[in-house]
Amino acid sequence: NSKVIQTPRYLVKGQGQKAKMRCIPEKGHPVVFWYQQNKNNEFKFLINFQNQEVLQQIDMTEKRFSAECPSNSPCSLEIQSSEAGDSALYLCASRSPWEPNTGQLYFGEGSKLTVL
Amino acid sequence: GEQVEQRPPHLSVREGDSAVITCTYTDPNSYYFFWYKQEPGASLQLLMKVFSSTEINEGQGFTVLLNKKDKRLSLNLTAAHPGDSAAYFCAVRNNNNAPRFGAGTKLSVKP
C-alpha cells in the first residue's frame, strides 16, 4: 500500500472553479513532486519542492496553479480556474532522503479531476 | 526539450509468452532509469531502477536492458502471466531534473 497519501481521490469541478488537491508525502521524505497524467497516460511534470521551497516548476504551474508544502501540513496543489483540459489524474510523489542521487519516487494513488 | 518515447502503447500476449517494452531517450546526460508498474486504481510501483554503469538487470520474472549507445531501455517479461496485466512506464532522469516518463504500455496477458 502506498505511504504517500493523496486526497481527495476524485473531484468534479465546473469550468472556472478552483480545484484543490492535497498530498502527505512519505514520512521523512523531503522532496515532493506533482505530475499530471492525462487520459493518454502521458505524464507532465508540474512542480517539485524540497521542504517548503520550490525547486522547479513549469510555466503553466506558475501561471495557473497555486502550490505549497508547508511544514507540518499536507502539501497542496490548487488550480485557480479549472479548464476542461485540466481533467486528469494528479499524482504526488516523494523522494527518499537516502536516495538523493537516483531520484527514485514513491507515488500516491492520485487525485482524479474531472472538469465539466 | 528532451524526450522519452515508449513503445508499444498496447501489447497483448498469451500466458507464458514474453513481452518486451522499449523506451528511447534523447538526453545524453541521463544516468538513472526506472520501470514502474501501474495497476488500475493503484499507485505506480517501482519494478526496477538501473544506473548508467549497469547494462543488464534481472528481477523476478523480468529483465531490464540498458543500451547507452543507442539510448534505449527495455523491459522484458520472460514468461508473462495474467497478474502482469497492467500499465508499465519507463522514467529517465539526469542529475538535475525531475524524472521524465514515457507514455506507458498497457499490457494484457490472456490465459
Side-chain angles (χ1 to χ4, degrees), chain A residues 48-115:
Chain A
N48 60 353
F49 292 84
Q50 176 144 356
N51 299 316
Q52 293 82 54
E53 301 295 321
V54 174
L55 290 176
Q56 299 167 310
Q57 63 179 322
I58 63 171
D59 206 40
M60 177 181 83
T61 307
E62 198 168 3
K63 288 179 180 169
R64 299 187 51 238
F65 290 58
S66 174
E68 60 177 3
C69 261
S71 61
N72 301 318
S73 290
C75 297
S76 64
L77 180 71
E78 183 174 38
I79 306 173
Q80 296 300 301
S81 178
S82 300
E83 300 172 358
D86 295 328
S87 295
L89 182 68
Y90 289 82
L91 289 163
C92 176
S94 63
R95 192 176 78 200
S96 164
W98 295 284
E99 298 188 63
N101 293 325
T102 68
Q104 179 186 336
L105 301 182
Y106 297 79
F107 282 87
E109 293 178 340
S111 292
K112 188 169 181 180
L113 170 65
T114 302
V115 182

Side-chain angles (χ1 to χ4, degrees), chain A residues 2 9 33 35 37 40-43 45 56 89 91 95 99-105 107-109, chain B residues 32 34 36 38 41-44 46 49 51 87 89 93 96-104 106:
Chain A
S2 173
R9 289 294 308 276
F33 295 74
Y35 283 88
Q37 186 182 21
N40 296 321
N41 274 339
E42 293 159 336
F43 281 73
F45 165 77
Q56 299 167 310
L89 182 68
L91 289 163
R95 192 176 78 200
E99 298 188 63
N101 293 325
T102 68
Q104 179 186 336
L105 301 182
F107 282 87
E109 293 178 340
Chain B
Y32 310 107
F34 308 87
Y36 287 91
Q38 186 182 34
S43 61
L44 281 85
L46 181 74
K49 55 189 176 189
F51 311 132
F89 296 88
R93 180 177 180 258
N96 299 318
N97 293 322
R100 291 181 184 273
F101 284 79
K106 206 169 254 187

